[in-house]
Amino acid sequence: MKKITLKEMADACMGSLVCADEDTVVTGGVVDSRQLEKGNLFFAILGEKVDGHKFAGQVIENGAAAAVIEHEVEGVTEGIIKVESTGKALLSAAGCYRNGFDIPVIGITGSVGKTSTKEMIASVLGEKFNVLKTEGNFNNEIGMPLTLFKVRESHEAAVVEMGINHFGEMDRMAAVARPDMFVITNIGDCHLEFLGDRDGVLAAKTEGLDYMADGAPLILNGDDEKLVSLKGNQRFKVLFYSLENKDAAAYASDIVTNGEEGSDFTLHIADKEVRVHVPVAGRHMVANALAAALVGNEMGMDIDAIKSGIEKVKTISGRSNFIKKGGVTIIDDCYNANPNSMKASLEVLSNCTGRRIAVLGDMGELGEGERALHYEVGEYLATLGLDAVFFSGSLAEEISRGAGDNGAENLFYIKEKETMSDILCHYIKPGDTVLVKASHFMQFDSLINDLINSLE
């Protein structure tokens, strides 16, 4: 791993180095002063609640290589890189840091399943390599470069998640990460407010391909018709995975879903097959396992090591995380939502035991067709035979209407989220399985906390 100096970082950021040793070696980068390690750059990001500039003096005293700032800070006159934009500087500096290491970077994007696929890939690669992975959902233009800054000498691979909702974002992130391998999980109805339609989503998600080398593996969901349209691309080694197509590079057969216990399937890859258990609920997790299998295969892993990695995967909070309390199972899936992920989560619930209860809220950033897309989720919900569904949010009312128009029963629309919390705490009883699902802005995590507290 090449050592990157403060001067190289300042040049990359097009910044001015003020009263600092230009030969100082930079050991990483942070935006949170509490996470600072000696030799890190500190980027003073102007956030919604906190201006990082107020910590510039503190981090310099605590061993930062320098504080990257946009404007003067009272009492701070040395150890500074002055830039026009700390946000842009963070990306540029991470790109410079990326140039200093030579390990494979696996980029992951898609409308649904990015984080769970990232966890699956990291689990598989972890059977053979020391892997750095994106923490939680740090997948935007701040989180992604911070992930790259965590690469150390000991790492042998990096699994980097990239999430976008506007054109140009993937281009900027991929220019920094320069993935050696790219995985796209699907192209769904998400961020349509900014991207227009699924063709727009496809265009935005594939902006990053311009920064991949010729012949690099491009791993795609072969059950997504938008991604199948990339089949003729001659620049890359295009590899499809599929739950349905036996001509795919990796496919599943004999899938058996076991509710919250996960699924079992036969993995077919590289002319070999093996029976695999996925310990995370949902048929869609089998698809994520197939993507991970292809990554592992491209990294030279044998099928037994791939199987072992899949079978060790774990979920993270807010992403189909099963919480058991007082005899009740709560499926915490309230980090984000779009029509594809909502349907997938409802399918998971439908395969659970006991009373199956859904608590649903609005899905954001769906553009002009948002009401129709919510209604469509309701139509799907009506086919599942759930025992009860609670709704809150102006758009979630359309899910209720779509479900009711198609014969679903026991639908309860509750306008106020606080009222919903009180009702749920009295309605739910031991043996129930409760899915909580909505876009993050609905703050349904508070409902989960209330439920957990009521069950203590």
Side-chain angles (χ1 to χ4, degrees), residues 13-251:
C13 299
M14 292 185 290
S16 302
L17 196 58
V18 180
C19 297
D21 182 356
E22 63 181 26
D23 294 324
T24 297
V25 174
V26 175
T27 59
V30 296
V31 297
D32 186 335
S33 62
R34 297 167 297 183
Q35 297 176 355
L36 183 80
E37 297 178 5
K38 185 177 174 58
N40 283 178
L41 283 181
F42 173 75
F43 294 84
I45 301 293
L46 179 60
E48 293 181 5
K49 298 180 179 178
V50 179
D51 183 353
H53 288 78
K54 66 185 291 186
F55 303 103
Q58 174 188 323
V59 296
I60 293 169
E61 290 179 3
N62 291 341
V68 183
I69 61 174
E70 294 180 10
H71 58 73
E72 292 185 4
V73 180
E74 184 177 353
V76 180
T77 58
E78 58 184 12
I80 299 166
I81 299 177
K82 182 74 182 302
V83 298
E84 288 188 7
S85 164
T86 52
K88 291 179 180 178
L90 175 62
L91 279 167
S92 299
C96 180
Y97 191 79
R98 164 71 172 92
N99 291 337
F101 59 81
D102 186 23
I103 62 174
V105 173
I106 296 94
I108 304 169
T109 194
S111 298
V112 181
K114 293 183 294 297
T115 300
S116 53
T117 302
K118 175 257 301 182
E119 294 294 322
M120 190 77 76
I121 291 172
S123 185
V124 167
L125 294 184
E127 292 296 297
K128 183 176 180 179
F129 305 98
N130 184 357
V131 180
L132 173 76
K133 66 179 181 180
T134 299
E135 295 181 0
N137 60 295
F138 273 39
N139 62 15
N140 61 12
E141 290 186 81
I142 292 178
M144 190 280 300
L146 290 175
T147 298
L148 295 178
F149 269 128
K150 291 182 180 295
V151 173
R152 299 293 181 263
E153 291 274 4
S154 59
H155 288 126
E156 298 171 298
V159 184
V160 179
E161 183 180 339
M162 302 183 197
I164 59 107
N165 56 17
H166 287 78
F167 291 110
E169 289 177 332
M170 183 62 72
D171 182 86
R172 293 189 291 271
M173 286 194 285
V176 171
R178 292 183 292 106
D180 300 285
M181 192 183 310
F182 208 54
V183 179
I184 307 180
T185 61
N186 44 52
I187 302 298
D189 294 308
C190 64
H191 311 307
L192 302 185
E193 179 180 354
F194 311 113
L195 301 177
D197 55 22
R198 287 182 69 210
D199 288 326
V201 176
L202 177 65
K205 296 288 186 184
T206 53
E207 288 174 349
L209 302 187
D210 292 342
Y211 300 94
M212 291 175 63
D214 290 351
L218 176 58
I219 296 173
L220 306 172
N221 184 345
D223 299 328
D224 185 297
E225 76 277 10
K226 294 296 182 184
L227 292 175
V228 170
S229 70
L230 301 177
K231 184 176 182 178
N233 191 302
Q234 300 298 311
R235 243 198 83 200
F236 306 109
K237 182 180 181 180
V238 179
L239 299 167
F240 288 105
Y241 60 92
S242 176
L243 298 179
E244 303 170 0
N245 186 357
K246 293 184 178 181
D247 293 327
Y251 70 92

Side-chain angles (χ1 to χ4, degrees), residues 159-434:
V159 184
V160 179
E161 183 180 339
M162 302 183 197
I164 59 107
N165 56 17
H166 287 78
F167 291 110
E169 289 177 332
M170 183 62 72
D171 182 86
R172 293 189 291 271
M173 286 194 285
V176 171
R178 292 183 292 106
D180 300 285
M181 192 183 310
F182 208 54
V183 179
I184 307 180
T185 61
N186 44 52
I187 302 298
D189 294 308
C190 64
H191 311 307
L192 302 185
E193 179 180 354
F194 311 113
L195 301 177
D197 55 22
R198 287 182 69 210
D199 288 326
V201 176
L202 177 65
K205 296 288 186 184
T206 53
E207 288 174 349
L209 302 187
D210 292 342
Y211 300 94
M212 291 175 63
D214 290 351
L218 176 58
I219 296 173
L220 306 172
N221 184 345
D223 299 328
D224 185 297
E225 76 277 10
K226 294 296 182 184
L227 292 175
V228 170
S229 70
L230 301 177
K231 184 176 182 178
N233 191 302
Q234 300 298 311
R235 243 198 83 200
F236 306 109
K237 182 180 181 180
V238 179
L239 299 167
F240 288 105
Y241 60 92
S242 176
L243 298 179
E244 303 170 0
N245 186 357
K246 293 184 178 181
D247 293 327
Y251 70 92
S253 67
D254 304 315
I255 301 172
V256 178
T257 56
N258 302 303
E260 65 183 271
E261 301 301 321
S263 302
D264 295 284
F265 74 102
T266 300
L267 165 65
H268 302 263
I269 187 170
D271 296 322
K272 295 181 179 179
E273 64 181 64
V274 67
R275 195 70 181 163
V276 180
H277 174 67
V278 182
V280 186
R283 183 181 173 89
H284 59 288
M285 291 300 300
V286 175
N288 297 342
L290 293 173
L294 280 176
V295 172
N297 188 66
E298 288 299 299
M299 293 282 285
M301 296 178 64
D302 63 44
I303 196 168
D304 291 330
I306 291 169
K307 166 187 167 72
S308 179
I310 292 171
E311 294 183 341
K312 292 177 182 176
V313 73
K314 297 179 181 178
T315 58
I316 63 173
S317 178
R319 309 281 182 150
S320 294
N321 183 36
F322 281 71
I323 303 168
K324 293 183 180 294
K325 198 78 173 179
V328 175
T329 300
I330 301 170
I331 307 175
D332 171 12
D333 201 358
C334 61
Y335 174 74
N336 219 336
N338 59 48
N340 301 78
S341 67
M342 188 76 85
K343 291 175 184 177
S345 296
L346 288 166
E347 183 266 339
V348 169
L349 177 64
S350 72
N351 287 309
C352 291
T353 57
R355 286 199 308 173
R356 299 157 303 162
I357 300 164
V359 182
L360 307 179
D362 293 356
M363 301 178 286
E365 298 183 358
L366 294 179
E368 293 180 358
E370 60 184 7
R371 302 193 75 81
L373 289 168
H374 281 78
Y375 187 91
E376 179 185 302
V377 169
E379 291 178 311
Y380 175 74
L381 188 158
T383 68
L384 300 177
L386 302 181
D387 296 286
V389 188
F390 294 81
F391 307 88
S392 184
S394 59
L395 292 171
E397 192 171 10
E398 286 297 305
I399 305 179
S400 178
R401 193 166 69 85
D405 288 350
N406 288 274
E409 298 179 346
N410 297 323
L411 308 175
F412 307 98
Y413 178 76
I414 302 163
K415 186 175 182 180
E416 300 297 331
K417 190 173 65 173
E418 292 73 17
T419 304
M420 164 97 82
S421 182
D422 291 338
I423 291 172
L424 287 173
C425 290
H426 288 91
Y427 182 82
I428 290 167
K429 62 185 181 182
D432 292 348
T433 299
V434 186

